[in-house]
Amino acid sequence: MNGQAIENPIINNLKNLPIYETTKDKGYVYIISNGENIKVGCTTNLYDRMVSLSNSNGGGFTIKQIYYSPACYIYKSLEKAMHIKLKKYSIVGEWFHGITFEHVCNKLNILLNSDDFKRCEEAKMNYYNCSKKDNTAILEWEN
């Protein structure tokens, strides 16, 4: 499992990706570069998020590169793991400097292909699929 890299103009290419309505469903981890800094974030709607970021700052934010994970259940944990791995490059919040876009994408791919990711993704997928089928059993088990 690997992410997908796209060069601008790319936002329109994201329109056809699935949109996940709730945080209990799947989401994406994205990596964007403005040419100087890199942002690692997560979202359930990649297209809307990129439009939002490109329209920020009044004059617009130039997204020069985008890379994103396949949709997954543990996208928030994956984003957190990326922030931890990139901590020494952190400049503010989810923004990083002093590391190449390619290197950050490689770190994401290493996580996506790890046995730990696959195990956690499968466990969360099974949990949500089970809870959608039988909410009563899940509620009883959690108490």
Side-chain angles (χ1 to χ4, degrees):
M1 179 183 282
N2 287 320
Q4 297 179 26
I6 307 172
E7 301 270 326
N8 256 357
I10 53 105
I11 292 176
N12 285 338
N13 293 335
L14 303 174
K15 283 183 181 179
N16 296 326
L17 288 175
I19 298 168
Y20 300 96
E21 299 299 327
T22 69
T23 57
K24 287 188 176 182
D25 287 324
K26 295 179 180 179
Y28 304 94
V29 172
Y30 62 85
I31 303 165
I32 60 173
S33 171
N34 64 3
E36 292 182 34
N37 300 316
I38 295 169
K39 180 179 185 349
V40 177
C42 67
T43 184
T44 57
N45 185 328
L46 196 54
Y47 174 75
D48 281 356
R49 184 64 180 135
M50 293 304 111
V51 169
S52 172
L53 285 169
S54 66
N55 291 330
S56 63
N57 300 332
F61 173 83
T62 303
I63 298 173
K64 294 194 175 183
Q65 294 175 294
I66 297 177
Y67 192 83
Y68 58 92
S69 72
C72 59
Y73 288 97
I74 62 167
Y75 66 101
K76 288 183 178 183
S77 298
L78 191 57
E79 177 203 31
K80 178 83 170 163
M82 286 294 292
H83 289 174
I84 290 168
K85 288 189 170 294
L86 299 171
K87 185 176 181 167
K88 71 180 182 177
Y89 303 102
S90 180
I91 52 176
V92 62
E94 298 180 333
W95 287 94
F96 303 90
H97 185 79
I99 188 169
T100 67
F101 180 78
E102 293 76 16
H103 194 82
V104 176
C105 296
N106 186 49
K107 286 186 177 294
L108 177 59
N109 283 334
I110 290 169
L111 286 173
L112 288 169
N113 289 300
S114 72
D115 289 339
D116 289 339
F117 169 80
K118 292 172 187 173
R119 232 181 350 266
C120 292
E121 178 69 6
E122 182 178 1
K124 195 158 188 181
M125 177 186 67
N126 290 338
Y127 174 80
Y128 284 127
N129 287 338
C130 179
S131 66
K132 287 178 183 176
K133 292 177 188 172
D134 186 6
N135 286 333
T136 308
I138 292 296
L139 290 174
E140 289 173 5
W141 179 71
E142 288 179 339
N143 287 330

